[in-house]
Amino acid sequence: MGDTIMMSVPELQIIDVNSMTTILGGPENEMVGILVTMNSDVRGMLLFLLEKDFVCLLLNVLLNKSINDFTDISEMDMSVIMEIGNVLAGSYVSAIATMTDLDIRLSTPQVAIDMVGAILNYPAAYFGVMDDNLLFIEENFLSEENIIRSHLLIMPEPDSLSLIFESLGMSS
Amino acid sequence: MSNLVVGISDQKVADPPDTLTTYALGSCVCICLYDNLRRIGGLAHILLPKAFGDVSGRNVYKFADTAIEELVRGMIKQGSAHLHLTAKIAGGANMFISDEKSIGDRNVETVMQELQRLRIRIVAQDTGANYGRTAIFNTQDGSLTVKTLGRGNKVI
C-alpha cells in the first residue's frame, strides 16, 4: 500500500463491437470483465474491461501478493475484483446521478476472466446489436512504474438514454 | 492452404485444404456442417436464437433459426447434398451468472432444434459452461479444434 495511482482524463468514443474488439487487443486477448447492471430510473449495464496486468497489479498492491496471471486465483482475489468493480461503477454512476438528479441503483458486480471477444458476446446478445454504436470510455491509470489502460462500456437502454439527455436539458 | 475467418453473424463455406476459424465464442454458437463425401465444410457463427421476423439484410446470419438454413443452401450451391451433411457445434457459454435462462443455453437449444428440423445429425458438440472458445474447422477431415484460455484444447 501507499503507492500512488493516478487517473488521466477519460477519452470517450462511440464505436461498434468489432472496432472495440480490435482496440482491446483482438478477440482472444485475456481480459477481466466486470459487469454491473443499473436499475430503477436508469436501466442498462456497465462493463469494465481491465487489462490482466492491471488487475494483477491491483491485487498485488491490495493483498500484498506477487501474481502475474490468474492460474491460482482465489475466492479472496475474486471478491477484491468485485469490490474494484463496485468502486469504479459507483464513481461513474454517482457522477451521472448527481448531474441528472436521477435515481440509479447498481447490482452486485459479476466477474469473467476470459477472451475479450467472448466477454463482449454478453452485451452484444443482450442488446441484439453488432453494428450499432456503443459508448466506450478509455482511460489511463498511472502508477510509478506502469501505465495501464482501463476500458468501460456504458450501455443504457434506449429509454434510459433519452431520460438522461432530458434530465441534462438536451432533447434528443 | 488458407485460413478463412468467420466473424460474428457471419458464415462461410470452404473446400480442403482450407480451414474455417471463428474466434472467442462466448454465448454465441458456431455450427459446422460437413459433407464427408464431397469434403465440403461450412461454418456459421450465430449471436441469437430467434429472428422473430427481423431478417433484413445481414440479419439472416445473426439468428440460429435463419442462419443454419442459409448455410445449408450455401453448401448445396457449392456441390453438397443435404443428405450427406452432419453437424458439430461449439460455444453457448454463460460468461456471467444470470438468474434467467442464459442466452448461451437458449442459443444451443435453438441450434439443436433447428438441426433436428433440417434432419442433420449432430456428431459432436462442446457447448455450455462459462468460458470462451475459439473454433477451428478443418475441411480436410471435418475435425473441429476447440481452443480455450487455461482449459486446454480439444479436437471433436
Side-chain angles (χ1 to χ4, degrees):
Chain A
M1 290 293 220
D3 290 9
T4 309
I5 295 181
M6 291 177 293
M7 283 164 76
S8 69
V9 178
E11 276 174 49
L12 199 142
Q13 297 178 54
I14 295 177
I15 54 174
D16 61 281
V17 175
N18 282 325
S19 322
M20 200 177 305
T21 310
T22 310
I23 293 177
L24 296 172
E28 289 185 297
N29 185 28
E30 184 176 26
M31 291 193 93
V32 178
I34 309 175
L35 180 79
V36 182
T37 52
M38 298 183 279
N39 300 305
S40 57
D41 285 354
V42 175
R43 304 174 60 80
M45 58 175 84
L46 301 173
L47 178 63
F48 293 93
L49 292 162
L50 308 177
E51 307 275 359
K52 186 177 134 184
D53 292 348
F54 178 46
V55 175
C56 287
L57 173 78
L58 286 174
L59 291 177
N60 290 343
V61 170
L62 294 169
L63 300 174
N64 200 17
K65 304 173 73 148
S66 56
I67 56 165
N68 49 31
D69 61 41
F70 299 117
T71 40
D72 295 312
I73 192 148
S74 68
E75 237 163 75
M76 182 63 188
D77 297 336
M78 286 302 266
S79 59
V80 168
I81 296 173
M82 283 166 71
E83 194 47 39
I84 294 167
N86 258 331
V87 171
L88 290 173
S91 60
Y92 282 100
V93 164
S94 65
I96 299 173
T98 308
M99 282 191 294
T100 57
D101 213 18
L102 294 169
D103 178 30
I104 311 174
R105 267 171 241 157
L106 297 174
S107 72
T108 310
Q110 295 178 50
V111 180
I113 304 175
D114 216 305
M115 303 177 186
V116 67
I119 295 173
L120 284 171
N121 273 189
Y122 189 87
Y126 186 83
F127 288 94
V129 293
M130 276 310 299
D131 312 318
D132 293 17
N133 294 320
L134 299 168
L135 190 58
F136 184 69
I137 295 175
E138 184 175 274
E139 62 190 324
N140 296 315
F141 286 85
L142 305 114
S143 77
E144 275 167 34
E145 298 123 43
N146 304 283
I147 301 176
I148 298 156
R149 285 181 307 159
S150 125
H151 312 271
L152 166 64
L153 198 58
I154 302 182
M155 295 154 291
E157 289 186 5
D159 294 354
S160 298
L161 192 60
S162 321
L163 191 63
I164 292 173
F165 282 139
E166 273 168 38
S167 307
L168 291 171
M170 299 149 72
S171 46
S172 45
Chain B
M1 171 186 128
S2 52
N3 176 32
L4 308 172
V5 176
V6 181
I8 303 180
S9 306
D10 190 13
Q11 53 180 250
K12 285 189 175 110
V13 176
D15 304 302
D18 293 350
T19 54
L20 292 161
T21 299
T22 198
Y23 293 107
L25 296 155
S27 56
C28 287
V29 174
C30 83
I31 302 101
C32 302
L33 298 184
Y34 193 58
D35 179 337
N36 198 27
L37 212 72
R38 304 247 160 81
R39 292 223 245 160
I40 297 169
L43 189 155
H45 181 148
I46 60 103
L47 176 70
L48 291 166
K50 290 188 173 151
F52 298 109
D54 174 26
V55 285
S56 49
R58 273 175 48 84
N59 271 352
V60 67
Y61 302 134
K62 196 195 272 187
F63 305 98
D65 70 342
T66 49
I68 301 176
E69 208 170 326
E70 189 63 25
L71 183 64
V72 171
R73 250 196 296 275
M75 292 194 61
I76 291 171
K77 217 161 120 189
Q78 199 86 356
S80 271
H82 193 138
L83 265 173
H84 301 152
L85 299 179
T86 54
K88 292 184 181 180
I89 63 175
N94 188 9
M95 300 303 293
F96 294 99
I97 305 153
S98 79
D99 300 332
E100 307 151 42
K101 191 166 192 183
S102 84
I103 187 77
D105 289 343
R106 287 197 285 133
N107 275 338
V108 171
E109 197 179 281
T110 310
V111 164
M112 290 173 76
Q113 283 166 2
E114 194 60 17
L115 287 168
Q116 191 175 31
R117 186 181 71 81
L118 296 166
R119 297 179 192 283
I120 298 170
R121 194 163 55 95
I122 299 174
V123 292
Q125 80 184 78
D126 180 32
T127 54
N130 63 345
Y131 51 85
R133 296 167 172 92
T134 283
I136 304 154
F137 188 37
N138 183 339
T139 61
Q140 192 85 48
D141 59 4
S143 64
L144 180 65
T145 305
V146 180
K147 288 166 57 183
T148 67
L149 285 185
R151 287 179 177 84
N153 303 334
K154 60 175 125 174
V155 182
I156 62 171

